[in-house]
Amino acid sequence: MENFDFYAPTKMLFGKGKATCLPEEMRPCGNRVLMVYGGGSIKKNGIYDTVCGILKENGFQFWELGGVTPNPKIETVRAGIAMAREHQADMILAVGGGSTVDCGKAIAAGYFYGGDAWDVVKDPSLITDALPIFTVLTMAATGSEMNPTAVITNQAVHEKQGVHSSHLYPRASVLDPTYLYTLPAVQTAAGVADIMSHIFEGYFKKTEDAYVQDKFSEGILKTCIKWGPVALTEPENYSARANIMWAASMALNGLCGCGKEGKWSCHAIQHQLGAYYDITHGVGLAVITPAWMRYILSESTVGKFVDYAINVWGFPRQPDEFALANMGIDATEQFFVDCGLPATLSELGIDDSLFEVMAKAAVPYAQLDTQAYVPLHEQDVVNIYRACL
């Protein structure tokens, strides 16, 4: 296991009705709030009224930036920075899913920077300070509510870029499982796929002795497999929503990946799909992941895939390791399909016309040719895209 620092400073306010605890966490930062949210679903399900009521009752002034889209756009970030500066906001309150939280983080980071917001996305060393960030989560997927990362899309240059800075940890996050009850099924399913992909990216690494992290990872994967289908068939099952919600936070707060070096492969490959086709992140990952697994399966990786098949899916050990590994991969793909997610890029209306362009961007994006679990060059990425058609 490699040396590592583990740091997770976000206070997690978990449970039904915990939004009422938020003012106590926010008050030391001031009383002027920029509230960021998405396309308006929070106004339909009552969460908007609840949060606004809590802010008003506790004497906060707040201004609203709505309309954050999936794959949040740099234009929205720029608008948010301008609004925050105009009203001299003391903090950001992001009410929504991972895209909303990521947009709020980018606004917080750009607030103190004198140049264009895209600069800090491309070069996080420019982030020397940020507005305090608070979140009220309405979707379980990205783990952004507990980590220092945001992903922003710049469609003008066809780039979807992750930015990581210790200044971007939320101060406190509200995780009320009942806020997930009204999620559309496809968002629930895509969220589960995203959670599982975050685990896969850390689980399949060259480090061989991170036993604790691997057991955390296997437990979270089994949680998704057990409770994801329940959340889809019983949207108001509190246990299902609570377990999936906590799994999302645990999957990407550093707990499962610490001490395991290497870059993420599937996210780098999928981010290009998001940059060019603006598809839902978890949907793209559900398509890419099984194809990537099959592509990198070899004598050097089969042992890890055997562990996965046995410890996560419960398949019995057998002499043919490759057959067992493929059983685990096939089960993964079928699970995503059973959750209602597509299995091919063709189902998403994506053809092979941009595969070479996207592969050329994906490899340097995450140093896939030198730092991935299995090194991938441009043609490898093209081959994986083609396997997804």
Side-chain angles (χ1 to χ4, degrees), residues 301-323:
T301 64
V302 67
K304 193 65 178 181
F305 279 101
V306 166
D307 288 345
Y308 171 63
I310 293 172
N311 297 335
V312 174
W313 289 104
F315 292 116
R317 187 174 294 277
Q318 59 172 273
D320 189 337
E321 289 192 327
F322 279 89

Side-chain angles (χ1 to χ4, degrees), residues 219-230:
I220 293 172
L221 289 169
K222 292 174 75 171
T223 297
C224 291
I225 293 165
K226 174 181 173 62
W227 290 108
V230 178

